[in-house]
Amino acid sequence: MERVKNYWRGVPAGSKVAIVTLIGGWALHAAAYLHFFPADLTDRNVFLQLIVGVGICYGVAAGRKWARMLCVFFNIGIVALYALFSMALVQSEEWGWAGLTALIAGMFSVSTVYLLARDSALFFNPQPPFSVKVKHDRHNGHERGEEDPNTR
């Protein structure tokens, strides 16, 4: 448990917001899925939803680069789906369910925005520091900076 606390302390604030809203979005998606699609509640569909949701949440929470990009890809589709679903529910005056679907779209949107932010990008894809050596260019007499290959 101490390892998890130490890891969480090193996560940037924006990435923490992305992780929390992502987990919340998937939890609300599960509730909406159970309500709106009771006929599709086969073991296979529930298992697939669970695997995708838990897998993406775990990968993002663990700071995996591939999970961040996969999550952004899924989030864009989920936001579009729930935004359209929310508009349809507003037109049919189902205010409670329209609010829930709008909240789900909002949570996935917030997660996407924070996952695309610079501090999150650096957290998920840390670059080692490199030094620059200045060499004299014999052709035009100017100095040019080149990356030192020994420091990478």
Side-chain angles (χ1 to χ4, degrees), residues 128-133 135 146-152:
F130 66 92
S131 64
V132 175
K133 284 187 175 180
K135 291 185 177 181
E146 290 185 355
E147 183 180 332
D148 184 6
N150 297 325
T151 60
R152 276 222 152 201

Side-chain angles (χ1 to χ4, degrees), residues 64-92:
R64 304 287 188 251
K65 180 181 175 181
W66 61 266
R68 174 180 167 257
M69 295 314 298
L70 185 66
C71 180
V72 167
F73 176 74
F74 270 95
N75 283 2
I76 291 169
I78 291 171
V79 168
L81 177 83
Y82 274 105
L84 291 172
F85 206 27
S86 181
M87 287 188 282
L89 289 167
V90 165
Q91 289 178 350
S92 64

Side-chain angles (χ1 to χ4, degrees), residues 7 19 22 55-64 67-68 71 115 123-124:
Y7 172 77
I19 293 167
L22 178 68
I56 289 177
C57 289
Y58 175 78
V60 171
R64 304 287 188 251
R68 174 180 167 257
C71 180
L115 283 173
F123 171 70
F124 284 95

